[in-house]
Amino acid sequence: MAKHLAKDAGKAAVAQLGWWKAHRFLILRRLTQLSVLLAFWSGPFWDVWLFKGNLSGSVLFDVVPFTDPLIAAQTLASGHWLQPSALIGLAVVVGLYALIAPRAFCSWVCPMNMVTDLAAWLRRKLGMKVSFNWNNSLRYWLLAAIVVGSALSGTLVWTWLDPVNTLQRGLIFGFGAGIWLVVCVFVMDLVLVEHGWCGHLCPLGAAYGLIGSKSLIRIKAVKREACTKCMDCFNVCPEPQVLRQPLKAGDRRVLDKDCISCGRCIDVCAEQVLEFRTRIGAENEE
């Protein structure tokens, strides 16, 4: 089969599988992301406090704490010890995302994912080509620089430059000057670098990549022989490099820590080559 144009990615899946099956993981992710925002929003507006705090640090039902691992790393590096509740929250977050799937936070919780997905969708529909190419490891260098910078300055250096928490706070309490951080990310992804934020820069995504590197749920090319090389999965994937090995030979699982477990490659594949599976019991399956 001839390669499909990027703007047509998923059309064959819709025609063959139906609209819901060709969008199910996208819809489920949006519902999850909006539900998390609603859980934070319900307190200030309806006095129903499901979550108190924000994505940097919060408490669910006044019982279960959650602590952003990047905030925790900066706090510790700057010479400040975490409160017991924050330590528990860090353990909860690290344990949860180490168990579930690589970078599940990035595609199922992070509100910035909706912004970057919109930019990527517009790029495909407008036929815009890549302007610049950045190394995928840049985010890990940025993560290290933030931690070192916090250690040297004694402050949380990423707090004022973090578009993720800026967007979450803005959606709940209203935007101030921080809206420009979100706009800059959108413009960068649309015009300068394809998947620039999630695929190359985001230090929080780098942290979750390291945390979830051995997690259980993985995308797997269960019907690799049925692949027609149409490139639809590559065209929609924020981290297309992670799909190369599983679709060629050897282990069929996407084991790369940079996969964001979004499931879009599953949605758009008309041949249903890819599925979510656990990594247990098939260490060398080919």
Side-chain angles (χ1 to χ4, degrees), residues 217-229:
I217 300 174
R218 299 285 165 157
I219 289 173
K220 181 178 177 182
V222 294
K223 299 179 182 177
R224 184 164 59 197
E225 296 77 12
C227 179
T228 62
K229 307 295 189 295

Side-chain angles (χ1 to χ4, degrees), residues 2 21 31 34 49 57-58 66 134 154 214 242 250 255 262 280 285:
K21 198 164 186 179
L31 289 174
L34 293 173
W49 295 92
S58 59
F66 294 89
W134 289 347
K214 302 298 182 182
V242 308
L255 296 177
C262 65
I280 297 173
E285 185 176 347

Side-chain angles (χ1 to χ4, degrees), residues 183-199:
V183 171
C184 285
V185 168
F186 177 79
V187 172
M188 176 184 69
D189 272 34
L190 179 64
V191 178
L192 298 179
V193 183
E194 188 173 17
H195 308 299
W197 177 251
C198 293

Side-chain angles (χ1 to χ4, degrees), residues 65-70 72-73 76 82 85-95:
F66 294 89
T67 302
D68 177 351
L70 182 55
L76 294 171
L82 294 172
S85 61
L87 283 172
I88 295 172
L90 178 61
V92 169
V93 169
V94 170

Side-chain angles (χ1 to χ4, degrees), residues 4-10 22 25-26 29-30 102-103 106-107 113 116-121 123-124 130 136 139 189 193-200 219-220 230-247 253-269 274 276:
H4 295 169
L5 295 175
K7 67 178 182 179
D8 294 328
F25 289 115
L26 175 62
R29 286 193 299 114
R30 291 294 175 264
R103 294 181 62 189
C106 300
S107 57
N113 175 256
T116 57
D117 272 4
L118 176 60
W121 179 82
R123 281 187 75 102
R124 291 195 301 273
V130 175
N136 293 325
R139 56 192 148 198
D189 272 34
V193 183
E194 188 173 17
H195 308 299
W197 177 251
C198 293
H200 299 85
I219 289 173
K220 181 178 177 182
C230 71
M231 299 301 289
D232 279 5
C233 58
F234 281 83
N235 286 329
V236 300
C237 182
E239 304 277 359
Q241 75 279 357
V242 308
L243 293 172
R244 293 192 183 103
Q245 184 274 318
L247 289 175
R253 297 166 298 168
V254 177
L255 296 177
D256 195 305
K257 65 181 181 300
D258 290 336
C259 174
I260 72 169
S261 305
C262 65
R264 283 300 285 147
C265 59
I266 300 174
D267 282 346
V268 301
C269 182
L274 301 156
F276 276 118

